[in-house]
């Protein structure tokens, strides 16, 4: 886990730890974390973005929160986001072979929730099964229902 992300986690989840919270400035954390990010939207992310626009859900691509967390597709004023979770967001469970979110993805979800964001996740393995534009729109409309 990147050190700035861990420090942000501690600040958000344990504000009573004044020594750490007072010595770390959110702006410095954001600047440090953002420097580690190189926005490179994937083809999957682009495809989801286009489909969201067709559903009428306008958004920013690669929005960086005040705290330094990068969101794939976001509406910052309402704190709504769509995260496009590709293969690197998952691990394969031993024995069952099922895909489960990795630790970084889980931590980011917890941080965003603690900061007041509502996030819909689009999984690569689900998206890849959708063959038509209509199927993609129905899928996204169901995912966007978390914002209602």
């Amino acid at each position: 886990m990147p050190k700035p992300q861990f420090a942000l986690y501690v600040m958000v989840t344990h504000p009573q730890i004044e020594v750490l919270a007072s010595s770390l400035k959110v702006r410095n954390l954001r600047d440090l974390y953002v420097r580690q990010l190189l926005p490179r939207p994937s083809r999957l992310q682009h495809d989801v973005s286009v489909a969201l626009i067709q559903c009428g859900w306008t958004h920013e691509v690669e929005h960086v929160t005040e705290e330094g967390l990068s969101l794939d597709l976001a509406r910052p004023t309402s704190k709504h986001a769509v995260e496009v979770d590709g293969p690197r967001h998952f691990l394969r469970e031993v024995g069952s072979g099922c895909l489960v979110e990795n630790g970084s993805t889980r931590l980011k979800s917890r941080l965003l929730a603690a900061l007041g964001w509502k996030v819909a996740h689009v999984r690569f393995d689900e998206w890849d099964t959708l063959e038509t534009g209509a199927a993609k729109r129905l899928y996204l409309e169901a995912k966007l229902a978390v914002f209602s």
Side-chain angles (χ1 to χ4, degrees):
M1 170 186 341
K3 290 179 184 178
Q5 193 174 13
F6 175 74
L8 179 60
Y9 170 77
V10 172
M11 288 175 60
V12 170
T13 59
H14 303 294
Q16 71 276 15
I17 302 177
E18 293 181 30
V19 175
L20 179 62
S22 65
S23 67
L24 297 171
K25 303 289 184 217
V26 171
R27 179 176 294 172
N28 292 341
L29 282 174
R30 180 183 190 278
D31 292 345
L32 182 59
Y33 193 59
V34 169
R35 271 188 242 126
Q36 295 177 11
L37 302 174
L38 296 174
R40 292 175 293 225
S42 66
R43 186 169 26 152
L44 170 63
Q45 184 177 327
H46 176 74
D47 193 25
V48 172
S49 178
V50 168
L52 282 169
I53 292 167
Q54 291 171 347
C55 289
W57 201 78
T58 56
H59 53 274
E60 288 183 24
V61 176
E62 294 296 335
H63 173 76
V64 178
T65 69
E66 199 173 294
E67 298 80 15
L69 297 171
S70 177
L71 296 163
D72 295 332
L73 311 165
R75 286 182 161 178
T77 54
S78 60
K79 285 196 165 186
H80 293 163
V82 173
E83 284 287 280
V84 181
D85 296 336
R88 292 183 185 197
H89 290 260
F90 299 94
L91 300 171
R92 197 159 296 279
E93 198 170 57
V94 176
S96 72
C98 294
L99 291 175
V100 293
E101 287 183 330
N102 65 27
S104 296
T105 300
R106 286 183 178 183
L107 175 59
K108 184 177 178 182
S109 293
R110 287 183 190 157
L111 284 171
L112 290 168
L115 294 168
W117 284 85
K118 287 187 178 180
V119 180
H121 291 268
V122 173
R123 290 175 53 131
F124 79 99
D125 55 332
E126 295 172 348
W127 188 259
D128 287 347
T129 66
L130 306 171
E131 296 180 3
T132 66
K136 291 176 180 181
R137 283 190 296 280
L138 284 172
Y139 174 86
L140 289 174
E141 287 168 2
K143 291 290 185 177
L144 296 175
V146 300
F147 304 139
S148 299

